[in-house]
Amino acid sequence: QVQVEESGGGLVQTGGSLRLSCAVSGRTISEYAVGWFRQAPGKEREFVVSTGGRGGYTLYGSQSVQDRFTISRDHAKNTVYLQMNSLKPEDTAVYYCASGLGGASIGRYDHWGQGTQVTVSS
């Protein structure tokens, strides 16, 4: 059975950093892509970044994210990390990790975590 679990969210001031973790069990991160999405109150869930494939491609949802966030993989731990730097209040959201075929579309991911709250204070 595939399970996905996020951790690492919290409260941080503007300009601060957080590192989110996404631990996957039941399938390997080398065979299936891992994507990060976020959902702010009253807004739709949006794509943040994904990584996958044996070559480890990375796809970012926006230039703002690409300039400040870094995604990485630890194959030994079957875990994907999202390092978020220079955080802004507009980054405040529940961050979800998902495992699946990859890309930016929600429908391409078949297993989701419960989400972790990230709050950036101004």
Side-chain angles (χ1 to χ4, degrees):
Q1 183 173 352
V2 179
Q3 292 186 322
V4 178
E5 184 174 3
E6 311 94 337
S7 61
L11 173 64
V12 65
Q13 291 185 333
T14 296
S17 298
L18 282 174
R19 188 178 80 156
L20 306 183
S21 300
C22 175
V24 180
S25 61
R27 60 169 57 158
T28 66
I29 60 173
S30 60
E31 292 182 292
Y32 289 87
V34 171
W36 286 98
F37 294 77
R38 64 186 179 186
Q39 188 165 17
K43 295 187 177 182
E44 294 185 351
R45 192 169 299 189
E46 68 168 346
F47 171 71
V48 177
V49 61
S50 67
T51 186
R54 298 191 179 274
Y57 81 88
T58 299
L59 176 67
Y60 288 96
S62 68
Q63 189 64 49
S64 174
V65 167
Q66 185 172 350
D67 290 343
R68 300 179 295 123
F69 294 6
T70 302
I71 192 168
S72 61
R73 303 189 291 178
D74 184 331
H75 291 278
K77 296 182 178 180
N78 215 41
T79 297
V80 172
Y81 301 98
L82 181 63
Q83 178 67 43
M84 305 186 296
N85 299 326
S86 302
L87 284 163
K88 305 175 182 180
E90 50 264 43
D91 294 317
T92 295
V94 177
Y95 282 70
Y96 296 92
C97 178
S99 173
L101 298 177
S105 175
I106 290 174
R108 290 180 59 83
Y109 297 87
D110 57 348
H111 289 87
W112 292 77
Q114 293 299 307
T116 185
Q117 176 71 47
V118 171
T119 303
V120 184
S121 63
S122 58

